[in-house]
Amino acid sequence: MNGFKEYAEKELISVQNMINLLGAVSKPDGNYESIVTKKGVNFYRRSARKNGARTRTLLSSEEIASVKTARYKFELLKRLNNNKSVLKNVAKSYLSCKPDDIISSLPKVYKPSIEEMVDPEFRKGLYLCENLYPKKRKYKANIVITEMVNKLSIDTPHFTTMGCIVRSKSEALIGSILESKGISYLYDRLICLEGAEGQEEYKSPDFIIICPDGFVFCWEHFGLLSRKEYSLRGWEKLYLYAINNITPGNNLILTSDDQKGSINCETIARIVDALILPHYKKANDK
């Protein structure tokens, strides 16, 4: 039991960090329904009964995405607050905050489709950390972050604790550890770099962490180094980073899977504690 109490105390800190990161969220107003037609699925907002009948308003794709995203975040915040209360009392009724569990529990009308979940723009709206930064801004070390995400498809989606869709289990673990420590990040966001001949080139680090003091880390995780083509692309990317002053030991974090395709959670947590959290502490001390 003592071991569980220690785990609960650490988990309580992680839950509180995620609640702070999420902020205030409201449940979508009104009632909604979906109707399958020959042309696809239509989504409607139902109004109150008038003269014994209800009226329905057809929603645009933007309105649909907004309603689904708001409902997801509302459910996530509800579960986080529940878990916070449970952990304080060292109870056993802990609810899962895994995105697939949340989505499976939502009413059918609010469930994102597979097409929506793998669409980069929808992912950017669903995942709350993507909305914490301006669309484009030059940060320290002259890193220009754009509003564009990598358009490469995600064949097998993996989820972080707070719902970011990533390409691998290792990236999901890294993202979840960052989230548990209250660290916001951008996933697969394109940055504008200067090529060897002065031309503009765009690359997307796996993670971009913008610290409160303005310092920016790019994090690259390599999972297929045993594959020659993959490794060569990685070295080309690192060369481009280097000529733009994005280097290991400074503002570039490099990690990789081992030969068995595994990643060490404790190592990732120590990297975050040693390199990233001090920038948060400096900002809080000011």
Side-chain angles (χ1 to χ4, degrees), residues 265-282:
C265 300
E266 292 184 4
T267 299
I268 299 300
R270 285 198 296 268
I271 289 173
V272 174
D273 291 344
L275 299 181
I276 301 174
L277 285 184
H279 289 274
Y280 279 71
K281 187 176 184 302
K282 286 180 182 178

Side-chain angles (χ1 to χ4, degrees), residues 89-274:
N89 295 286
V90 198
K92 298 181 180 180
S93 54
Y94 193 74
L95 290 175
S96 169
C97 287
K98 292 181 179 179
D100 49 352
D101 292 335
I102 294 175
I103 291 170
S104 66
S105 73
L106 295 176
K108 184 178 179 181
V109 66
Y110 297 108
K111 293 181 186 293
S113 66
I114 296 298
E115 291 77 11
E116 288 172 323
M117 291 299 290
V118 300
D119 177 70
E121 293 303 319
F122 188 83
R123 292 205 314 271
K124 190 168 65 173
L126 179 65
Y127 183 54
L128 62 102
C129 284
E130 287 284 353
N131 299 318
L132 298 180
Y133 305 117
K135 292 184 176 180
K136 186 173 182 179
R137 178 178 167 187
K138 180 178 288 189
Y139 292 89
K140 290 182 180 179
N142 293 322
I143 297 177
V144 179
I145 302 172
T146 74
E147 62 180 308
M148 299 179 290
V149 294
N150 193 332
K151 296 298 183 180
L152 291 177
S153 63
I154 297 179
D155 298 326
T156 305
H158 298 276
F159 296 88
T160 68
T161 303
M162 295 186 71
C164 181
I165 301 177
V166 297
R167 289 185 170 81
S168 70
K169 292 180 180 179
S170 295
E171 290 178 347
L173 185 147
I174 293 171
S176 296
I177 289 176
L178 289 170
E179 293 163 0
S180 72
K181 295 179 180 293
I183 297 173
S184 305
Y185 60 83
L186 300 172
Y187 177 75
D188 225 16
R189 183 68 68 87
L190 291 172
I191 60 176
C192 182
L193 303 171
E194 183 176 336
E197 298 179 0
Q199 76 281 14
E200 279 192 355
E201 293 197 28
Y202 291 87
K203 296 294 180 183
S204 57
D206 293 325
F207 300 92
I208 299 174
I209 298 103
I210 305 173
C211 302
D213 61 1
F215 194 87
V216 177
F217 284 101
C218 293
W219 189 321
E220 289 286 357
H221 182 80
F222 297 100
L224 301 169
L225 288 176
S226 59
R227 298 184 184 179
K228 184 176 180 180
E229 292 184 0
Y230 177 89
S231 296
L232 289 175
R233 288 198 303 270
W235 283 114
E236 290 174 357
K237 196 173 189 180
L238 292 178
Y239 168 73
L240 187 58
Y241 284 164
I243 62 177
N244 283 269
N245 297 317
I246 303 173
T247 56
N250 177 27
N251 51 6
L252 176 61
I253 299 174
L254 300 176
T255 53
S256 68
D257 290 348
D258 61 22
Q259 293 180 344
K260 297 181 180 179
S262 302
I263 184 173
N264 190 304
C265 300
E266 292 184 4
T267 299
I268 299 300
R270 285 198 296 268
I271 289 173
V272 174
D273 291 344

Side-chain angles (χ1 to χ4, degrees), residues 43-59:
F43 292 81
Y44 299 88
R45 180 184 288 111
R46 295 200 307 264
S47 64
R49 292 184 179 276
K50 293 182 179 180
N51 299 325
R54 290 182 182 273
T55 59
R56 295 183 305 199
T57 303
L58 181 65
L59 300 182

Side-chain angles (χ1 to χ4, degrees), residues 10-19 179-181:
K10 292 181 179 179
E11 187 68 10
L12 181 58
I13 295 173
S14 298
V15 169
Q16 185 60 58
N17 284 336
M18 287 188 280
I19 290 174
E179 293 163 0
S180 72
K181 295 179 180 293

